Amino acid sequence: MKSLIWKIFTKNKDGSFAKCNICKNEYRTSGNTSNLLDHCKRKHKLQLDRLRKQNDVEITSESDADNCDDPVAGPSTTVKRRKVTIKNYMTKQYVPYDKNSDRKIKLDKLLVEYVAHDLEPFRIVEREYFKQFVHELDNKYELPSRTQLKDVLLPQLYNQMKAILVKILSTVDHISITTDMWTSTANDGILTVTIHFVYDNDIKSAMLETRKVVGHHTAEHIAKVKITIYIY
């Protein structure tokens, strides 16, 4: 069986070096892939695990470990084609959820709520250890990309929360508004507008928007910015 390592690495013309297709690092090789495997285990464990699971073969170890030619598969191996049955197909744990499945939609929603409520950066979905953590929890769930999280999932959550707030406010008789403004470490003027009201016999607060204010911080200019927030 061709080593899974060569699905991650590519040899140069004379075969003396191999380049990692993921991080582009190069390593010397003379037919032995131990150092390449070590690199994958340290830097690309998630991708290596996926390749192992997607390799549609059944590996059975033999007693003589000294004759091992494939460090990914393990000690001296016999490769046997797996009989494909409906049961095997349905129980493959590595088959990702369909993007329109209820489970995928639910996990995406929980992820974007976590990012929004805990003020996590969008790049969290690109962090290797976070990806490994999520993969270990549910290896059928594929994290959305950073762009999808920012441009699709977060706006969806925003629109859902906005609709809920509008519905609640339609039943409220009175609201009060507070405005906070400060200068960020980047020397930008930041304005936040929050509303307060009584709903279901309890005092509630909702932040309408936090916006960067461009221009002079005069009362007239700030009032214009606030009006655009109210209208929106």
Side-chain angles (χ1 to χ4, degrees), residues 128-226:
E128 191 65 28
Y129 284 101
F130 181 75
K131 291 192 291 185
Q132 290 184 23
F133 174 67
V134 172
H135 179 73
E136 188 66 27
L137 292 176
D138 189 341
N139 60 10
K140 295 173 67 176
Y141 175 60
E142 290 189 341
L143 285 166
S145 67
R146 178 176 176 176
T147 301
Q148 185 183 10
L149 181 63
K150 177 173 66 74
D151 296 339
V152 179
L153 297 178
L154 189 62
Q156 286 178 355
L157 178 63
Y158 172 82
N159 290 330
Q160 291 170 5
M161 298 305 297
K162 180 180 178 181
I164 292 172
L165 180 60
V166 169
K167 184 176 180 179
I168 291 174
L169 292 179
S170 66
T171 67
V172 173
D173 294 326
H174 305 284
I175 64 171
S176 64
I177 302 173
T178 57
T179 303
D180 296 292
M181 190 167 185
W182 68 95
T183 302
S184 71
T185 55
N187 208 33
D188 292 323
I190 307 296
L191 176 74
T192 292
V193 176
T194 307
I195 60 173
H196 313 272
F197 53 92
V198 176
Y199 177 73
D200 197 20
N201 296 320
D202 194 12
I203 298 177
K204 304 289 186 181
S205 296
M207 185 181 70
L208 292 186
E209 187 172 340
T210 295
R211 179 184 296 187
K212 183 170 76 171
V213 178
V214 179
H216 296 293
H217 299 170
T218 62
E220 182 180 4
H221 183 55
I222 292 174
K224 289 180 180 179
V225 174
K226 291 173 66 176

Side-chain angles (χ1 to χ4, degrees), residues 53-71:
K53 291 178 180 179
Q54 291 170 0
N55 189 35
D56 192 24
V57 295
E58 185 177 85
I59 306 299
T60 55
S61 297
E62 294 181 346
S63 58
D64 185 6
D66 295 331
N67 294 324
C68 175
D69 294 323
D70 189 348

Side-chain angles (χ1 to χ4, degrees), residues 23-100:
C23 64
K24 308 305 180 184
N25 286 335
E26 289 189 351
Y27 293 88
R28 183 179 295 278
T29 178
S30 57
N32 189 315
T33 58
S34 297
N35 59 330
L36 308 184
L37 176 61
D38 181 63
H39 169 78
C40 291
K41 287 180 176 179
R42 288 185 293 104
K43 299 294 185 180
H44 312 300
K45 186 177 184 300
L46 181 62
Q47 291 87 341
L48 183 62
D49 288 344
R50 284 181 176 173
L51 281 176
R52 281 171 166 166
K53 291 178 180 179
Q54 291 170 0
N55 189 35
D56 192 24
V57 295
E58 185 177 85
I59 306 299
T60 55
S61 297
E62 294 181 346
S63 58
D64 185 6
D66 295 331
N67 294 324
C68 175
D69 294 323
D70 189 348
V72 175
S76 187
T77 59
T78 299
V79 179
K80 181 180 179 181
R81 291 292 174 185
R82 178 179 296 163
K83 184 178 180 181
V84 179
T85 64
I86 293 178
K87 181 179 179 181
N88 287 343
Y89 179 80
M90 296 300 292
T91 56
K92 283 184 178 178
Q93 296 301 305
Y94 59 81
V95 177
Y97 295 118
D98 182 84
K99 65 179 181 179
N100 296 318

